[in-house]
């Protein structure tokens, strides 16, 4: 089943994001390589895809996991969680309707 992993950043998270980003991306690329990733990306803090120093307010990952517990465990082990980038993460089942 698909799950949406919705993460909220702490304030002024950009520096911590940049340090943990390579490890964070490697985990997402693994999901992609396994054919389990639907989409992933950050939420810019301002209305542009390149927010610069404004940074980001969180992230969204939609991917396939065996069950809710597996999705939650994956989210909790994210390098951004470990590095203190995320203030919190919500994991919800997700039904893709379109496209």
């Amino acid at each position: 089943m698909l799950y949406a992993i919705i993460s909220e950043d702490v304030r002024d998270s950009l520096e911590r994001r940049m340090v943990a980003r390579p490890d964070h991306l490697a985990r997402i690329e693994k999901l992609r390589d396994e054919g389990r990733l639907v989409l992933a990306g950050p939420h810019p803090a301002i209305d542009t895809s390149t927010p610069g120093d404004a940074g980001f307010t969180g992230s969204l990952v939609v991917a396939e996991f065996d069950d809710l517990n597996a999705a939650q465990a994956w989210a909790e082990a994210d390098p951004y969680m470990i590095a203190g980038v995320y203030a919190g993460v919500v994991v919800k089942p997700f039904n893709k309707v379109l496209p």
Side-chain angles (χ1 to χ4, degrees), residues 5-89:
I5 300 170
I6 307 153
S7 309
E8 273 307 304
D9 280 25
V10 298
R11 289 180 60 76
D12 300 318
S13 63
L14 186 58
E15 185 175 326
R16 283 183 253 183
R17 265 184 173 269
M18 299 319 302
V19 170
R21 189 170 190 261
D23 292 335
H24 170 78
L25 288 179
R27 292 180 82 236
I28 294 172
E29 289 166 351
K30 183 173 188 254
L31 289 176
R32 179 200 61 205
D33 295 346
E34 294 170 348
R36 297 170 43 205
L37 182 66
V38 175
L39 62 87
H43 302 286
I46 57 176
D47 193 14
T48 179
S49 61
T50 55
D53 290 341
F56 301 91
T57 62
S59 302
L60 171 65
V61 174
V62 178
E64 182 180 339
F65 293 92
D66 289 337
D67 56 36
L68 181 58
N69 287 336
Q72 289 173 326
W74 187 90
E76 290 169 9
D78 191 294
Y80 281 176
M81 267 306 265
I82 294 164
V85 172
Y86 291 153
V89 176

